Amino acid sequence: MTHRDTLLVEEGEILGHQAHPGEQFILRLKAPRIAQRARAGSFVHIECHPLLPMRRPLSIMRAEPAAGWIELLYRAFGAGTRLLSAHGAGTRLSLIGPIGRPFAPHPERPRALLLGGGVGIPPMIFLAEEMRRRGGYSPLVLMGSEVPFPFTTRPSQILVSGIPEGTIAAMPLMDDWGIPSRLSSLQGYPGCFHGYVTDLARRWLAALTPAQRGEVEIFACGPHPMLEAAARLARDYALPCQVSLEEFMACAVGGCAGCTVRILTADGPAMKRVCVDGPVFDAATVVF
Amino acid sequence: MGGQAVNQDDKRALELDFCGMRFATPLVLLSGCVGFGEEYTRVEGFSNRDVGAVCLKGTTLHPRLGNPPHRVTETPMGMLNAIGLQNPGAHHVVREILPRLDFSETRFIANVSGSTVEEYVEVTRIFDDSPIDAMEINISCPNVKEGGVQFGNDPAMSARVVEACRAVTDKPLITKLSPNQTDIAENARRCIEAGTDAFAVINTLTGMAIDVEQRTPIIGNNQGGLSGPAIKPIAVLKVHQVYQVCRAHGVPIIGQGGVCSAEDALEFLIAGATAVGVGTGLFYDPLLCPKINAGIAAYLKRHGLSEVGQLTGTLRLNGQTVCA
């Protein structure tokens, strides 16, 4: 099913632009119309600098329709995102959005396991917030990063069974929302699980009863190897799993077929566009 | 330039005839940039009515999956692409896609691609028996192993393809020329003899970008086609060169390569183009076309011209020309 909603072109005004360690930035933009329509998993195609010929696709981390803003988290690692990071409050940047097929959680599986790795964290935060607003879900958010997390971590006030002892670091915003979260890294950050986020997820899943596992659905966004591990985890436990994919992108509206990934369909292998056929795909159909 | 509203007089000034087709404006959305004509219509504020024609994605006889990722990457003032003619096949396009298009909005041009002369002919035949307004013969795709630019770089082969397609259709044929050849004007001359009605000048230039850490090409296909503002001066010169051949025969040109503004479009018109293609520029600004239209209309008014066709080939060279 291709994303067919109307795509908006909106001038977004920078309200705030925070730098975090590891060249990470949180960009808050006033973009009321996109904020109104954004869903967890959708993204914007943002103008980074008028002298660059291409925009950059960035996942939406949060959208506050009432206040009319959206928030993006990105890492400055190329020409475009470096130029983007130099813009201050008041700058206006053109946005195309919200783009893409969002996550579609199944209500009959309320134990949502949200896995975010690095710059794949933003849509997981959005999904957690969406589940909180919608009600009826009990998500657990696990996030992994090999650079310092773009927020101050703190010991969680919410107990989660099946999580190894000492793995107590959490994202404060999640705690404030009453959503349990835990963090993982190979960097030895205090309170974080030492390992991959998918290893932590496996430990948690292993501790559930079969009946509890029957209520789990996995959602993941992050680097390719992490998504592959998430898909494997889902397969091992026969769980549904939705992954959000990334690929180099040109038009972002489905016109150029530049951002395709290999997907298995009923008619055989197909090249599907991340921008409008995704970015969210059923992990079981992705050819990693 | 640009941003002004286009009134009724402006609209009339922008209209033109292209191989017997009425184009509402001189702009043509380029093949490979706008899918099969529907995708951009979902962008609020975008309308196919703002352009004279839409060139559909390159179509082969059988479906093609296309190239592996990465298929696109940004380069200085441009981008490389190697999509590899991903398409669902000519029969699917005619049966499933064309009926969904609104032919009252604009003219639709099929892009005929293939690996053999026979395949070009068969695809042309399939589109001939369809509502499509015209066909663009793509003998210049740089991203497929067989056909494409292999044909386009050889004037004799180019002419063979054009002649064979000409034999099976009376619809306008537009030959898309490659810049990756020694003498584009000679190729144009041969294609006119073979029966082409028009040219699209230029397709992308072949190029490569390398990931120095991995020491591998960034593009999955290793090499790709370069488009965007970086190639505009090359494209303008090629249009000028092809126009020298076309002028005497009344064969019109769609000038294309890096158009991002009204000024860019005007350069192509002055160099000899009758219509102007917009491709990569749309990726940055999906609402670019009405701005270009307004800019051209304002220019026409400022220069006392009543229709855009009066601009074609009005280049005044400085003294002795440096190119034949």
Side-chain angles (χ1 to χ4, degrees):
Chain A
M1 183 71 115
T2 302
H3 176 77
R4 290 285 178 202
D5 289 352
T6 301
L7 304 177
L8 307 173
V9 182
E10 189 170 24
E11 286 272 304
E13 183 188 338
I14 298 181
L15 299 174
H17 205 169
Q18 296 170 353
H20 292 268
E23 294 186 274
Q24 297 172 100
F25 294 85
I26 294 177
L27 175 60
R28 182 178 287 191
L29 291 147
K30 187 175 182 188
R33 300 187 67 215
I34 290 176
Q36 198 71 43
R37 300 185 190 201
R39 299 276 312 278
S42 55
F43 66 95
V44 290
H45 210 30
I46 187 169
E47 168 191 34
C48 295
H49 193 280
L51 287 178
L52 283 180
M54 293 170 82
R55 293 168 179 252
R56 297 294 185 274
L58 295 178
S59 299
I60 301 173
M61 179 166 74
R62 294 187 65 194
E64 188 49 68
W69 54 255
I70 58 168
E71 240 175 33
L72 315 172
L73 162 68
Y74 67 94
R75 224 179 142 189
F77 60 85
T81 42
R82 281 205 191 95
L83 285 166
L84 179 62
S85 69
H87 294 305
T91 303
R92 299 173 76 88
L93 299 169
S94 170
L95 306 164
I96 305 173
I99 308 172
R101 217 161 57 92
F103 287 105
H106 294 98
E108 70 277 15
R109 289 182 174 269
R111 287 178 196 269
L113 175 57
L114 280 54
L115 308 177
V119 289
I121 287 174
M124 294 302 121
I125 293 173
F126 199 158
L127 183 57
E129 189 169 19
E130 207 167 77
M131 287 177 167
R132 173 172 168 261
R133 281 179 184 163
R134 221 180 280 175
Y137 292 92
S138 316
L140 168 64
V141 185
L142 304 180
M143 293 177 254
S145 183
E146 301 313 318
V147 295
F149 287 90
F151 46 81
T152 308
T153 64
R154 76 170 183 223
S156 180
Q157 303 300 303
I158 306 170
L159 288 175
V160 185
S161 57
I163 293 290
E165 207 172 316
T167 301
I168 55 167
M171 181 185 192
L173 184 65
M174 291 294 156
D175 257 31
D176 294 347
W177 289 344
I179 294 174
S181 68
R182 292 295 186 273
L183 309 176
S184 75
S185 178
L186 299 172
Q187 305 302 316
Y189 300 136
C192 293
F193 175 75
H194 188 82
Y196 291 117
V197 69
T198 43
D199 297 334
L200 179 57
R202 192 175 283 275
R203 298 265 198 112
W204 177 75
L205 279 171
L208 296 179
T209 66
Q212 288 171 327
R213 272 201 296 272
E215 296 177 348
V216 173
E217 180 166 23
I218 301 175
F219 304 87
C221 185
H224 216 258
M226 181 202 129
L227 296 183
E228 203 173 344
R232 208 164 36 237
L233 188 61
R235 202 170 51 236
D236 291 349
Y237 284 102
L239 299 174
C241 177
Q242 300 177 31
V243 292
S244 177
L245 302 182
E246 272 193 335
E247 186 43 60
F248 289 5
M249 203 171 276
C251 76
V253 307
C256 72
C259 61
T260 55
V261 288
R262 193 176 278 259
I263 298 291
L264 297 173
T265 70
D267 300 326
M271 298 301 282
K272 294 286 184 185
R273 299 161 296 184
V274 167
C275 63
V276 292
D277 299 322
V280 176
F281 292 94
D282 177 348
T285 67
V286 178
V287 182
F288 285 104
Chain B
M1 200 176 283
Q4 307 95 324
V6 175
N7 62 31
Q8 282 306 317
D9 284 346
D10 293 341
K11 277 186 180 167
R12 268 193 295 276
L14 290 173
E15 282 181 12
L16 59 102
D17 175 274
F18 195 94
C19 298
M21 296 180 281
R22 182 196 156 276
F23 281 10
T25 87
L27 303 187
V28 175
L29 300 183
L30 296 183
S31 179
C33 300
V34 291
F36 283 95
E38 295 177 298
E39 302 298 348
Y40 267 88
T41 59
R42 294 186 297 114
V43 177
E44 190 182 56
F46 178 95
S47 171
N48 279 338
R49 292 182 192 279
D50 288 327
V51 297
V54 176
C55 262
L56 306 183
K57 172 74 185 159
T59 303
T60 48
L61 182 57
H62 301 294
R64 282 177 64 97
L65 280 180
N67 289 329
H70 302 302
R71 289 176 165 191
V72 293
T73 190
E74 187 180 77
T75 55
M77 291 315 288
M79 63 171 268
L80 278 174
N81 88 79
I83 311 300
L85 289 175
Q86 177 177 348
N87 79 93
H91 287 295
H92 179 93
V93 173
V94 168
R95 282 192 207 126
E96 307 293 329
I97 298 176
L98 296 191
R100 295 204 298 262
L101 299 178
D102 185 349
F103 280 75
S104 74
E105 289 185 336
T106 190
R107 307 277 60 81
F108 288 101
I109 301 170
N111 179 287
V112 174
S113 302
S115 304
T116 62
V117 176
E118 293 71 28
E119 186 178 0
Y120 279 99
V121 170
E122 193 52 35
V123 176
T124 302
R125 210 191 297 271
I126 293 165
F127 279 115
D128 183 64
D129 188 24
S130 84
I132 207 79
D133 292 298
M135 279 167 264
E136 176 177 70
I137 310 175
N138 184 4
I139 49 166
S140 46
C141 177
N143 299 324
V144 290
K145 286 192 174 63
E146 295 165 322
V149 79
Q150 281 184 336
F151 289 164
N153 286 352
D154 177 347
M157 276 306 297
S158 301
R160 252 187 77 192
V161 176
V162 172
E163 194 172 17
C165 295
R166 175 78 291 163
V168 297
T169 186
D170 290 327
K171 291 189 177 187
L173 281 182
I174 303 158
T175 305
K176 191 167 188 175
L177 295 178
S178 165
N180 305 298
Q181 58 181 317
T182 312
D183 189 350
I184 196 170
E186 168 60 12
N187 197 323
R189 194 180 61 74
R190 299 287 293 273
C191 289
I192 291 172
E193 287 170 3
T196 193
D197 296 302
F199 288 106
V201 182
I202 54 176
N203 206 325
T204 54
L205 288 110
T206 48
M208 181 184 276
I210 294 172
D211 179 332
V212 295
E213 293 303 322
Q214 303 294 326
R215 300 188 193 179
T216 55
I218 294 172
I219 293 287
N221 185 52
N222 294 324
Q223 69 174 60
L226 180 66
S227 65
I231 72 164
K232 195 194 74 181
I234 299 167
V236 170
L237 176 61
K238 299 294 177 193
V239 167
H240 169 64
Q241 290 169 339
V242 172
Y243 181 65
Q244 306 313 307
V245 177
C246 288
R247 186 167 40 184
H249 302 276
V251 170
I253 299 167
I254 305 170
Q256 53 200 53
V259 171
C260 293
S261 67
E263 286 91 337
D264 294 340
L266 289 164
E267 279 195 57
F268 278 100
L269 294 168
I270 293 164
T274 297
V276 180
V278 180
T280 305
L282 211 56
F283 300 164
Y284 196 85
D285 182 0
L287 306 181
L288 180 61
C289 292
K291 295 171 194 166
I292 295 180
N293 286 334
I296 295 174
Y299 178 92
L300 293 176
K301 207 172 283 177
R302 205 167 65 247
H303 288 263
L305 300 170
S306 58
E307 53 188 81
V308 67
Q310 293 169 324
L311 258 182
T312 299
T314 54
L315 179 68
R316 295 193 295 259
L317 292 172
N318 301 316
Q320 292 297 305
T321 58
V322 291
C323 47

